Amino acid sequence: MGVLTTVFAFLLVLGPLVVIHELGHYLVGRFFGVKADAFSVGFGRELAGWTDKRGTRWKLCALPLGGYVQFAGDMNPASASDAGASEAPAEQRGQMFQFKPLWQRALIVFAGPLTNLLLCVAIFAAFTMAYGNRVVEPVIADFAENSVALEAGLKVGDRITSIDGETVGDVQDLERYILLHPEGRVPVGVEREGRDMTVPVEIATREIDDGFGKTARIGDLGVSFDQPIVAGFTSDSAAKDAGFEVGDRIVGIGGQEVTSFHDVIDLVQPRAGDTLRFTVVREGAELELPVAVRAATRPGADGTEESVGMIGVEARVGRLVPVGPVAAVGIGFARSFDMLDDMVTGLRQIIFGERSVKELGGPIKIAQASGQQFSLGWENFVAFAAFISINLAFINLLPIPGLDGGHLAFYAAEWVRRKPLDGRSQEWAIRTGVVFLLALMVFVTVNDIVSLPIFGG
């Protein structure tokens, strides 16, 4: 992937998300009658800009790693209050942020992260409406080699209903928990032949590579939910000619039980030229369909061509359920809050040493991921933008002075004390917060750099 493409994709992700975030602040502030002196995309030297009729300077600055709205009465872009603002005429004070009621200031600050959250919800809702909601039943279809679940006593056909006390509705619920808990012994609730039972399982740890030199530890049960449901057909499909339809579930081949597409492959590939009887379930009824297995060639282990059997079906994991607008928005909120919950869990694990700080990513990693997702198509790229948007919302809500969460913490203290913190305390807190954020930015950037292949990462 070219450097220019990566940089372009990075700016294409970050730029609009920063604008949307700051527009949240700006629009709510404007609704409450607060004047904005500046609306900036980026920091540092101004590259281009204009001043509108309300006196707001809209500008693009040299360092494209954020942005800000500077309201009237702010001493700087970090929203530290100007001590001299109290001497301004009453008409001007009425347009200043710091003289607005506490609840209005809190809403103006909260509007930025909220806008990023709502964008993420909107993207997930739009995808769900367009493509449907994919539901994967948590019924075990197969086991991986050295599966901890198999060793613990789970069986093919078991339906996982809970893990560590948390209800499992579909595979996504299970994966969210397992991926974030790479070690530990947990009780797994299963339904087997109509009976409920609990099986303790020791979660295995596996390392994955993000493709950019960084690795992350994830949990693994060693189970597959790849149900043998026909999703489509290849050209010249023997299965389609035999009467297969999309949605058919293959349950048997030649009298042998089938629980996953791995079983289909294992039973079909050695039988090129033979006719096999397939048992499929369609709309609750079992059908027997004879299929003449066709021969295809592929490179063998020794580099020569070998003949294998093919029936020309495409696999599908789960089923797509059509969703209306209201339900789609609900799913959008649910997925967004699940992501926020995952971020809280990940941050807690890093703070308490359960995960390495090397898993933290900075601007270089985000840029690399932006370029990768851009190369995969607009759907992947937009989904990645939703992920970054919810990350911006989460980070900005952290109670660190200089971030939106830091200001909200000041307002919480003001509400409890019935008076604001003095200006000097706020100023020093914001300076400390900015120094901390800069140090963190330097750390994650260095972390990204040393993981690059040219540095042996």
Side-chain angles (χ1 to χ4, degrees), residues 172-190:
Q172 188 178 43
D173 296 332
L174 180 66
E175 289 179 341
R176 283 186 57 241
Y177 182 92
I178 293 298
L179 292 177
L180 288 171
H181 297 84
E183 57 187 19
R185 190 175 181 83
V186 296
V188 177
V190 301

Side-chain angles (χ1 to χ4, degrees), residues 182-202:
E183 57 187 19
R185 190 175 181 83
V186 296
V188 177
V190 301
E191 180 184 318
R192 178 183 299 169
E193 299 177 352
R195 295 184 297 109
D196 292 329
M197 57 190 302
T198 300
V199 179
V201 180
E202 189 76 33

Side-chain angles (χ1 to χ4, degrees), residues 104-432:
Q104 292 186 7
R105 283 180 278 141
L107 285 178
I108 292 170
V109 169
F110 183 65
L114 178 62
T115 307
N116 282 127
L117 170 64
L118 292 178
L119 175 64
C120 185
V121 170
I123 291 174
F124 286 147
F127 278 5
T128 302
M129 282 189 62
Y131 303 112
N133 183 37
R134 184 172 295 281
V135 178
V136 183
E137 300 293 336
V139 178
I140 298 176
D142 202 359
F143 293 98
E145 188 177 355
N146 300 320
S147 167
V148 293
L150 180 61
E151 293 176 1
L154 296 185
K155 297 181 179 180
V156 169
D158 284 352
R159 181 186 183 89
I160 298 179
T161 57
S162 67
I163 183 164
D164 199 20
E166 297 186 15
T167 301
V168 173
D170 63 15
V171 169
Q172 188 178 43
D173 296 332
L174 180 66
E175 289 179 341
R176 283 186 57 241
Y177 182 92
I178 293 298
L179 292 177
L180 288 171
H181 297 84
E183 57 187 19
R185 190 175 181 83
V186 296
V188 177
V190 301
E191 180 184 318
R192 178 183 299 169
E193 299 177 352
R195 295 184 297 109
D196 292 329
M197 57 190 302
T198 300
V199 179
V201 180
E202 189 76 33
I203 300 176
T205 300
R206 183 161 58 92
E207 283 198 348
I208 58 171
D209 192 333
D210 66 359
F212 305 117
K214 286 186 180 296
T215 59
R217 292 168 60 245
I218 64 171
D220 187 14
L221 284 182
V223 296
S224 170
F225 303 96
D226 182 13
Q227 304 292 331
I229 300 173
V230 177
F233 302 98
T234 63
S235 59
D236 193 29
S237 168
K240 186 175 183 179
D241 292 345
F244 273 65
E245 296 181 4
V246 171
D248 285 351
R249 176 186 173 87
I250 303 172
V251 296
I253 301 177
Q256 297 191 53
E257 184 183 10
V258 169
T259 60
S260 72
F261 258 105
H262 290 294
D263 294 339
V264 177
I265 293 171
D266 290 343
L267 292 171
V268 168
Q269 284 191 347
R271 303 293 296 275
D274 294 344
T275 297
L276 297 177
R277 296 193 66 83
F278 282 71
T279 305
V280 302
V281 175
R282 180 184 303 166
E283 298 179 354
E286 280 196 1
L287 303 174
E288 295 286 337
L289 299 174
V291 180
V293 181
R294 292 172 182 167
T297 57
R298 70 176 183 184
D302 58 358
T304 61
E305 295 289 326
E306 65 178 9
S307 178
V308 295
M310 301 283 287
I311 62 170
V313 296
E314 296 173 351
R316 182 179 75 192
V317 179
R319 69 183 191 278
L320 286 175
V321 179
V323 176
V326 175
V329 171
I331 292 172
F333 272 106
R335 290 182 179 172
S336 298
F337 284 123
D338 283 345
M339 290 177 69
L340 283 173
D341 184 59
D342 292 347
M343 291 172 198
V344 172
T345 300
L347 180 61
R348 177 187 59 77
Q349 290 175 337
I350 289 175
I351 291 174
F352 288 98
E354 298 172 20
R355 286 185 178 274
S356 170
V357 294
K358 292 181 179 180
E359 293 186 23
L360 289 172
I364 294 177
K365 183 176 180 181
I366 295 174
Q368 291 175 313
S370 300
Q372 182 192 49
Q373 298 302 317
F374 184 78
S375 69
L376 295 176
W378 72 269
E379 292 174 344
N380 293 77
F381 188 68
V382 172
F384 177 73
F387 172 73
I388 297 298
S389 187
I390 200 73
N391 269 269
L392 287 176
F394 173 73
I395 292 170
N396 272 281
L397 285 174
L398 294 176
I400 300 173
L403 296 177
D404 295 330
H407 291 293
L408 291 173
F410 288 153
Y411 301 151
E414 180 178 340
W415 181 74
V416 171
R417 299 173 72 245
R418 303 298 181 185
K419 63 178 181 179
L421 298 174
D422 63 272
R424 185 173 180 82
S425 297
Q426 291 192 45
E427 181 181 347
W428 276 105
I430 290 174
R431 287 182 178 179
T432 303

